[in-house]
PDB file of all heavy atoms in Angstrom:
ATOM      1  N   LEU J 606      59.015  75.857 -18.415  1.00 78.00           N
ATOM      2  CA  LEU J 606      57.700  76.147 -17.862  1.00 78.00           C
ATOM      3  C   LEU J 606      57.529  77.643 -17.654  1.00 78.00           C
ATOM      4  O   LEU J 606      56.482  78.220 -17.949  1.00 78.00           O
ATOM      5  CB  LEU J 606      57.535  75.399 -16.541  1.00 78.00           C
ATOM      6  CG  LEU J 606      56.225  75.600 -15.803  1.00 78.00           C
ATOM      7  CD1 LEU J 606      55.065  75.095 -16.635  1.00 78.00           C
ATOM      8  CD2 LEU J 606      56.250  74.861 -14.476  1.00 78.00           C
ATOM      9  N   LYS J 607      58.590  78.281 -17.167  1.00 78.00           N
ATOM     10  CA  LYS J 607      58.509  79.721 -16.950  1.00 78.00           C
ATOM     11  C   LYS J 607      58.345  80.460 -18.273  1.00 78.00           C
ATOM     12  O   LYS J 607      57.621  81.436 -18.362  1.00 78.00           O
ATOM     13  CB  LYS J 607      59.768  80.220 -16.243  1.00 78.00           C
ATOM     14  CG  LYS J 607      59.713  79.964 -14.762  1.00 78.00           C
ATOM     15  CD  LYS J 607      60.872  80.610 -14.035  1.00 78.00           C
ATOM     16  CE  LYS J 607      60.980  79.991 -12.655  1.00 78.00           C
ATOM     17  NZ  LYS J 607      62.350  79.779 -12.230  1.00 78.00           N
ATOM     18  N   LEU J 608      59.033  79.987 -19.298  1.00 78.00           N
ATOM     19  CA  LEU J 608      58.937  80.657 -20.595  1.00 78.00           C
ATOM     20  C   LEU J 608      57.576  80.435 -21.244  1.00 78.00           C
ATOM     21  O   LEU J 608      57.048  81.300 -21.907  1.00 78.00           O
ATOM     22  CB  LEU J 608      60.017  80.135 -21.553  1.00 78.00           C
ATOM     23  CG  LEU J 608      61.452  80.596 -21.324  1.00 78.00           C
ATOM     24  CD1 LEU J 608      62.363  80.006 -22.392  1.00 78.00           C
ATOM     25  CD2 LEU J 608      61.539  82.108 -21.357  1.00 78.00           C
ATOM     26  N   ARG J 609      57.050  79.262 -21.058  1.00 72.00           N
ATOM     27  CA  ARG J 609      55.852  78.901 -21.817  1.00 72.00           C
ATOM     28  C   ARG J 609      54.552  78.995 -21.052  1.00 72.00           C
ATOM     29  O   ARG J 609      53.487  79.077 -21.645  1.00 72.00           O
ATOM     30  CB  ARG J 609      55.981  77.457 -22.316  1.00 72.00           C
ATOM     31  CG  ARG J 609      56.975  77.333 -23.414  1.00 72.00           C
ATOM     32  CD  ARG J 609      56.618  76.185 -24.270  1.00 72.00           C
ATOM     33  NE  ARG J 609      57.221  74.950 -23.844  1.00 72.00           N
ATOM     34  CZ  ARG J 609      56.975  73.795 -24.431  1.00 72.00           C
ATOM     35  NH1 ARG J 609      56.121  73.725 -25.407  1.00 72.00           N
ATOM     36  NH2 ARG J 609      57.561  72.708 -24.017  1.00 72.00           N
ATOM     37  N   GLY J 610      54.632  78.906 -19.743  1.00 66.00           N
ATOM     38  CA  GLY J 610      53.403  78.887 -18.964  1.00 66.00           C
ATOM     39  C   GLY J 610      52.833  77.489 -18.919  1.00 66.00           C
ATOM     40  O   GLY J 610      53.029  76.712 -19.847  1.00 66.00           O
ATOM     41  N   PRO J 611      52.130  77.168 -17.847  1.00 60.00           N
ATOM     42  CA  PRO J 611      51.691  75.794 -17.623  1.00 60.00           C
ATOM     43  C   PRO J 611      50.748  75.258 -18.692  1.00 60.00           C
ATOM     44  O   PRO J 611      50.829  74.100 -19.070  1.00 60.00           O
ATOM     45  CB  PRO J 611      50.982  75.846 -16.266  1.00 60.00           C
ATOM     46  CG  PRO J 611      50.844  77.276 -15.924  1.00 60.00           C
ATOM     47  CD  PRO J 611      51.789  78.064 -16.766  1.00 60.00           C
ATOM     48  N   GLY J 612      49.862  76.099 -19.213  1.00 56.00           N
ATOM     49  CA  GLY J 612      48.875  75.603 -20.167  1.00 56.00           C
ATOM     50  C   GLY J 612      49.541  75.016 -21.396  1.00 56.00           C
ATOM     51  O   GLY J 612      49.086  74.048 -21.977  1.00 56.00           O
ATOM     52  N   ASP J 613      50.651  75.614 -21.763  1.00 57.00           N
ATOM     53  CA  ASP J 613      51.307  75.273 -23.000  1.00 57.00           C
ATOM     54  C   ASP J 613      52.279  74.114 -22.858  1.00 57.00           C
ATOM     55  O   ASP J 613      52.720  73.542 -23.832  1.00 57.00           O
ATOM     56  CB  ASP J 613      52.099  76.500 -23.449  1.00 57.00           C
ATOM     57  CG  ASP J 613      51.935  76.744 -24.920  1.00 57.00           C
ATOM     58  OD1 ASP J 613      50.926  76.268 -25.458  1.00 57.00           O
ATOM     59  OD2 ASP J 613      52.808  77.384 -25.503  1.00 57.00           O
ATOM     60  N   PHE J 614      52.623  73.792 -21.645  1.00 55.00           N
ATOM     61  CA  PHE J 614      53.769  72.934 -21.428  1.00 55.00           C
ATOM     62  C   PHE J 614      53.645  71.567 -22.079  1.00 55.00           C
ATOM     63  O   PHE J 614      54.566  71.071 -22.695  1.00 55.00           O
ATOM     64  CB  PHE J 614      54.050  72.779 -19.937  1.00 55.00           C
ATOM     65  CG  PHE J 614      55.356  72.103 -19.678  1.00 55.00           C
ATOM     66  CD1 PHE J 614      56.536  72.822 -19.719  1.00 55.00           C
ATOM     67  CD2 PHE J 614      55.421  70.749 -19.445  1.00 55.00           C
ATOM     68  CE1 PHE J 614      57.745  72.210 -19.518  1.00 55.00           C
ATOM     69  CE2 PHE J 614      56.630  70.121 -19.237  1.00 55.00           C
ATOM     70  CZ  PHE J 614      57.794  70.855 -19.270  1.00 55.00           C
ATOM     71  N   PHE J 615      52.504  70.962 -21.918  1.00 52.00           N
ATOM     72  CA  PHE J 615      52.335  69.630 -22.491  1.00 52.00           C
ATOM     73  C   PHE J 615      51.796  69.673 -23.905  1.00 52.00           C
ATOM     74  O   PHE J 615      51.453  68.656 -24.473  1.00 52.00           O
ATOM     75  CB  PHE J 615      51.371  68.807 -21.633  1.00 52.00           C
ATOM     76  CG  PHE J 615      51.964  68.406 -20.328  1.00 52.00           C
ATOM     77  CD1 PHE J 615      51.594  69.042 -19.175  1.00 52.00           C
ATOM     78  CD2 PHE J 615      52.895  67.396 -20.270  1.00 52.00           C
ATOM     79  CE1 PHE J 615      52.146  68.674 -17.964  1.00 52.00           C
ATOM     80  CE2 PHE J 615      53.454  67.028 -19.073  1.00 52.00           C
ATOM     81  CZ  PHE J 615      53.075  67.665 -17.915  1.00 52.00           C
ATOM     82  N   GLY J 616      51.728  70.862 -24.458  1.00 48.00           N
ATOM     83  CA  GLY J 616      51.117  70.981 -25.773  1.00 48.00           C
ATOM     84  C   GLY J 616      49.629  70.726 -25.636  1.00 48.00           C
ATOM     85  O   GLY J 616      49.179  70.131 -24.664  1.00 48.00           O
ATOM     86  N   LYS J 617      48.867  71.221 -26.569  1.00 40.00           N
ATOM     87  CA  LYS J 617      47.420  71.011 -26.606  1.00 40.00           C
ATOM     88  C   LYS J 617      46.764  71.121 -25.226  1.00 40.00           C
ATOM     89  O   LYS J 617      47.321  71.600 -24.269  1.00 40.00           O
ATOM     90  CB  LYS J 617      47.096  69.647 -27.216  1.00 40.00           C
ATOM     91  CG  LYS J 617      47.850  69.380 -28.485  1.00 40.00           C
ATOM     92  CD  LYS J 617      46.939  69.326 -29.693  1.00 40.00           C
ATOM     93  CE  LYS J 617      47.703  69.546 -30.967  1.00 40.00           C
ATOM     94  NZ  LYS J 617      48.810  68.633 -31.223  1.00 40.00           N
ATOM     95  N   LYS J 618      45.537  70.676 -25.161  1.00 42.00           N
ATOM     96  CA  LYS J 618      44.809  70.856 -23.901  1.00 42.00           C
ATOM     97  C   LYS J 618      44.642  69.525 -23.171  1.00 42.00           C
ATOM     98  O   LYS J 618      43.704  69.324 -22.433  1.00 42.00           O
ATOM     99  CB  LYS J 618      43.447  71.495 -24.186  1.00 42.00           C
ATOM    100  CG  LYS J 618      43.491  73.013 -24.183  1.00 42.00           C
ATOM    101  CD  LYS J 618      43.220  73.569 -22.792  1.00 42.00           C
ATOM    102  CE  LYS J 618      43.636  75.029 -22.726  1.00 42.00           C
ATOM    103  NZ  LYS J 618      43.750  75.546 -21.382  1.00 42.00           N
TER     104      LYS J 618
END
Side-chain angles (χ1 to χ4, degrees):
L606 179 63
K607 280 187 196 141
L608 285 182
R609 288 207 270 176
D613 223 23
F614 190 82
F615 289 104
K617 313 247 160 57
K618 271 270 165 195

